[in-house]
Amino acid sequence: MLEKLVIRNFKTFKNETTIDLSKTNYTILPQNVGQNGILKGSIIIGPNASGKSSVLEAIKILLDFLFKERSLDSGLFRCLFSEDSSFSLNYHFRIGNQKIVYYVCVDPTKRHVIEKLSLNTEDNIVFERDGTEAVSRIADKNGISYGADSVDKETLFLRTLYFNTKFAGNETLKQWMEFLQSSVWIDAVSNSISFYGKENVQIGEYLKTHGTKEINEFYSRLNFKYSIEYSNTSKDSINLLKFSENADDKNIFFKRNEIEEPIPFAYESMGNKNLLKLLPAFFHVINTKGMLLIDEFSSGFHPLLEKTLLKYFMKNANESQFIFVSHSVSLVSNSVMRPDQVYAVEFEGKNGSKVIRFSDFQPRTAQNVEKMYLAGIFGALPGYEVISDDAE
């Protein structure tokens, strides 16, 4: 699980910024905390264009750099209003009882990359890279050296090591890679999904492989008043609705409990379509241990649906995490998320973005944290002019 993320000079985060997912002294919502004391997720709120999505992207690019063909040689990641030409990301993970710290610093201008990987203690460095020279002590404690013929300037060497060796002999690092590969990133507005393992979590591919059973059981369990069919035809009380003459060319049909007529996917509400697209990734991360990263989680969802999904995840996930951006401030309630799971992001001009963890203010569990936020106690509110209702 991700325990801590330290960002420096990345996107809108000019100054070093820490996102801590370790639990604090709050005792409420124990189901929101993993057995290792790490929180099962976090909500990131704040004004538009404050830098909320940049927090998620700082996690996503590690996944992209490791498992996608994405080049390090880009000036789009560093803070554009900073004189510093490099950016750095420091990831702290806990896999079982083992601690993994991975640090990467990239200077796109000089095309220079520094990487460092340590296990359990910062002194136990098992891999390090400086430019085009690297040393790995993962398989050999004496160290195996690599030079420019092996170290690509545009690629994480950690990626190269993993795909060349699969970290044979080091179970902790293998489990770490499995955790990362089980992770999924979703942009709920554009409906784009990035997945990093063999399991395709796009709804069409999921239904081809798994059918509708798991989804319909989920709908029934949570008292959603509809189900889905995945077929080339669907029958209502009078007619047979045919999507295609080809039996293998299937479509999704929604069937509401109150009526028998099937509703083709394209004609269903945006909220129901977005939920259905989300569920394969939702189930996958819960069942396999990974991170579910969602930008604009609230897109098309009723507030009660958002809370239901969050509570379901926290109750059923074991060593998985749900980290998301939302404008739905009702989710900062102590009935859904603990104060140590809530981060607000605020943009401070040339100083860049900063994060505010609600638990640092030590609100009591009986207090209405949502009202406290809207009253400006935590900051990170838009400064819009309030329009008066008085007649002129």
Side-chain angles (χ1 to χ4, degrees), residues 17-33:
T17 303
T18 299
I19 309 293
D20 195 340
L21 292 172
S22 302
K23 72 169 184 138
T24 60
N25 293 328
Y26 286 95
T27 58
I28 60 170
L29 302 175
Q31 67 271 22
N32 291 21
V33 183

Side-chain angles (χ1 to χ4, degrees), residues 117-146:
L117 179 68
S118 62
L119 290 177
N120 292 322
T121 66
E122 292 186 8
D123 295 333
N124 185 26
I125 300 171
V126 297
F127 156 67
E128 53 189 330
R129 174 239 185 119
D130 190 343
T132 56
E133 296 183 353
V135 177
S136 173
R137 303 177 187 88
I138 296 172
D140 186 339
K141 291 184 179 180
N142 294 320
I144 301 173
S145 298
Y146 301 87

Side-chain angles (χ1 to χ4, degrees), residues 37-287:
I38 299 175
L39 297 164
K40 294 182 183 178
S42 179
I43 177 174
I44 304 165
I45 62 172
N48 293 329
S50 59
K52 302 184 299 298
S53 297
S54 296
V55 176
L56 283 190
E57 189 166 2
I59 306 172
K60 179 181 184 287
I61 66 165
L62 173 63
L63 305 174
D64 286 350
F65 286 159
L66 284 174
F67 308 117
K68 303 282 188 182
E69 296 292 337
R70 189 165 183 178
S71 173
L72 294 170
D73 190 18
S74 172
L76 298 177
F77 299 123
R78 74 171 186 87
C79 182
L80 297 179
F81 49 90
S82 167
E83 295 180 359
D84 190 345
S85 60
S86 67
F87 68 90
S88 66
L89 299 163
N90 201 346
Y91 306 90
H92 296 241
F93 287 89
R94 194 171 292 275
I95 303 298
N97 295 321
Q98 307 295 308
K99 185 172 183 178
I100 298 171
V101 178
Y102 176 65
Y103 169 82
V104 58
C105 179
V106 180
D107 190 326
T109 304
K110 299 177 181 178
R111 299 187 70 195
H112 189 86
V113 181
I114 296 173
E115 296 176 75
K116 188 180 295 185
L117 179 68
S118 62
L119 290 177
N120 292 322
T121 66
E122 292 186 8
D123 295 333
N124 185 26
I125 300 171
V126 297
F127 156 67
E128 53 189 330
R129 174 239 185 119
D130 190 343
T132 56
E133 296 183 353
V135 177
S136 173
R137 303 177 187 88
I138 296 172
D140 186 339
K141 291 184 179 180
N142 294 320
I144 301 173
S145 298
Y146 301 87
D149 57 335
S150 302
V151 182
D152 186 348
K153 289 183 178 181
E154 298 182 5
T155 305
L156 289 184
F157 195 62
L158 181 66
R159 168 189 166 93
T160 303
L161 277 180
Y162 172 65
F163 282 101
N164 287 347
T165 68
K166 298 298 181 183
F167 295 143
N170 193 307
E171 192 61 31
T172 298
L173 292 181
K174 285 197 292 184
Q175 289 180 15
W176 177 43
M177 287 294 124
E178 290 171 2
F179 176 85
L180 294 176
Q181 284 188 298
S182 294
S183 299
V184 180
W185 175 87
I186 298 174
D187 182 338
V189 174
S190 65
N191 284 313
S192 57
I193 298 177
S194 293
F195 54 94
Y196 301 91
K198 295 179 180 179
E199 180 76 13
N200 189 327
V201 295
Q202 297 181 90
I203 184 61
E205 293 300 319
Y206 171 88
L207 290 173
K208 289 177 185 177
T209 305
H210 300 280
T212 62
K213 181 180 179 182
E214 186 177 24
I215 290 174
N216 284 333
E217 286 179 349
F218 176 81
Y219 286 158
S220 177
R221 179 177 177 183
L222 297 180
N223 198 32
F224 291 7
K225 299 187 182 301
Y226 53 86
S227 60
I228 63 166
E229 292 179 351
Y230 184 59
S231 176
N232 70 321
T233 61
S234 187
K235 186 179 175 71
D236 62 22
S237 57
I238 302 173
N239 302 307
L240 180 68
L241 184 63
K242 183 174 289 189
F243 175 71
S244 171
E245 296 294 338
N246 185 350
D248 294 326
D249 190 9
K250 298 180 180 180
N251 189 29
I252 300 168
F253 298 92
F254 284 85
K255 301 201 81 170
R256 297 176 181 269
N257 293 355
E258 302 90 348
I259 59 176
E260 295 184 25
E261 284 69 18
I263 303 171
F265 179 84
Y267 296 95
E268 186 52 79
S269 72
M270 181 181 72
N272 278 354
K273 289 191 290 188
N274 286 351
L275 174 61
L276 184 59
K277 292 175 183 177
L278 164 64
L279 287 180
F282 190 74
F283 298 147
H284 171 73
V285 172
I286 289 175
N287 294 332

